[in-house]
Amino acid sequence: MVHTGGSNQKVTHFTPTQFSPSGWSITMRLKQLGDYALNLQCLEELDLESCGYRTGVTDSGVIAAVSGNRSRKKLNLGRLTNVSDQSIVFVAGNCPNLEILDLSGSYVTGAGVRAFSGHRCLQSLDLRMCSEFRLSDIEHMVLGCQSLKSIVLSNMIKETIPESLSRIVKFADELWL
């Protein structure tokens, strides 16, 4: 439970703008986000995409936001172009209940994708607008992540989809929805 304005309410979804007054810098919002995320053990969804790619959100901000909460089920790191595989590998190892992950528009590489091989809960992975990995990385992850039901890739993928991936791979247009 979170105490907010005299009433207790369960917070299960969080975006930085919910707790930050206008005018705060993105750094302050991420610092506050990390503080809140560490204290909200019931937080199931975290959406950092609203921080945008021009703001300088880095690995340290993502790691602070993800640390201390192993019950997270949905995480959106879409368009965070200053975030590397360091964060993705950290998420894979520290979010065992994660079911939905959006990495669209990020620079995740094969190492970040492969980090989810063996993950027990991941069901959906969005990799639209990502191009720093190969389909062999996806195949490796899929073979080790039996819970995975859906991977969204960009239509621009030129490689032939292996049979082992055809049941779960979906394609999306390059346009942001």
Side-chain angles (χ1 to χ4, degrees), residues 13-20 33 43 45-48 50:
H13 179 78
F14 181 79
T15 58
T17 56
Q18 286 175 303
F19 287 99
S20 59
L33 174 62
L43 189 64
E45 298 181 18
L46 180 60
D47 184 344
L48 293 178
S50 64

Side-chain angles (χ1 to χ4, degrees), residues 57 74 79 83 100 105 152 157-158 167:
V57 178
K74 183 176 180 181
R79 299 186 191 190
V83 170
I100 300 169
V152 181
I157 300 289
K158 302 294 183 205
R167 67 177 175 82

